[in-house]
Amino acid sequence: MQIVETERLILRRFREGDAEDLFAYLHAPTASCFLSLKLADLTEAEAEVKKRALDDGSVAICLKQTGQVIGDLFGGGAGQEEEDGTTSVGWNLNPQFGGQGYAHEAAGALLDHLFRVKGFRRIYAYVEDHNKPSQRLCEKLGMRREGVFIEFISFTTDDAGNPIYENTMQYAILRREWMSGDNNEPT
């Protein structure tokens, strides 16, 4: 992804030097869907940064004033586009920076880039039914809830090792809806 600037953020590829900031929120992911990305130490974080640096669909969310990575986005990378111009998106923000509008600002800029620059027709996101902040973000972005997949996926197990399945919602928006909507201005 090319560099995208918003009022307070810079969205860019990951690069050397981002490991400490990535480790700050992936050493203990708060959303269960990111538990598989949990990093044990800075060495793992450095390896993850190198991997993400090569992935066009992996985007670092950085504070414009300091350059600090405060989260990440994904969507629209090479190989992620389906034949019909559809891609999935997601976000993960360091909880230390939650509640300040950064997720909306970053996700809005990503959706705008994917629709206007990359030419996607449809963008969707999966959100667990207990992840209320991400549900609100999807709705604030103008995405509609299209359905709920009951016991769709498991990210954890119980004490006996049995999978704990989560209900997952699918949200989506079409390019024509984004282009005509007033929810696409990052705040």
Side-chain angles (χ1 to χ4, degrees):
M1 178 175 167
Q2 67 191 45
I3 294 174
V4 174
E5 289 192 35
T6 67
E7 183 181 337
R8 303 177 296 164
L9 304 171
I10 295 176
L11 308 181
R12 61 162 173 80
R13 281 184 178 241
F14 278 87
R15 61 182 179 218
E16 189 175 334
D18 290 341
E20 193 171 319
D21 291 341
L22 184 66
F23 182 72
Y25 63 94
L26 281 184
H27 76 280
T30 55
S32 59
C33 61
F34 295 115
L35 290 175
S36 66
L37 299 176
K38 184 176 180 176
L39 300 171
D41 53 36
L42 277 175
T43 302
E44 277 190 14
E46 288 167 0
E48 182 66 19
V49 163
K50 286 179 183 175
K51 184 176 111 181
R52 290 177 181 216
L54 300 173
D55 181 357
D56 191 41
S58 183
V59 181
I61 303 170
C62 308
L63 292 176
K64 193 182 272 189
Q65 287 188 331
T66 64
Q68 179 181 3
V69 175
I70 63 167
D72 61 87
L73 303 160
F74 65 83
Q80 289 185 328
E81 182 177 0
E82 298 171 12
E83 287 182 30
D84 62 357
T86 299
T87 192
S88 66
V89 295
W91 38 80
N92 191 7
L93 194 69
N94 183 330
Q96 187 177 15
F97 296 92
Q100 300 175 55
Y102 292 128
H104 182 254
E105 187 173 332
L110 176 66
L111 266 62
D112 201 63
H113 176 79
L114 293 174
F115 282 131
R116 294 180 193 273
V117 177
K118 297 277 225 154
F120 283 97
R121 181 188 66 81
R122 183 175 183 278
I123 295 173
Y124 67 94
Y126 289 128
V127 180
E128 288 69 46
D129 66 351
H130 55 82
N131 189 342
K132 301 298 184 199
S134 279
Q135 290 172 38
R136 283 191 301 273
L137 177 56
C138 286
E139 291 163 6
K140 194 172 181 184
L141 290 167
M143 300 175 93
R144 82 188 140 282
R145 190 170 94 184
E146 294 187 323
V148 179
F149 300 99
I150 305 300
E151 295 185 12
F152 182 61
I153 195 163
S154 172
F155 301 107
T156 59
T157 58
D158 63 18
D159 293 336
N162 300 311
I164 299 171
Y165 288 97
E166 297 190 21
N167 299 334
T168 303
M169 299 173 176
Q170 180 171 302
Y171 285 85
I173 188 168
L174 299 171
R175 178 181 14 197
R176 64 179 162 79
E177 294 169 324
W178 179 261
M179 300 301 246
S180 68
D182 54 10
N183 293 325
N184 56 8
E185 292 299 321
T187 58

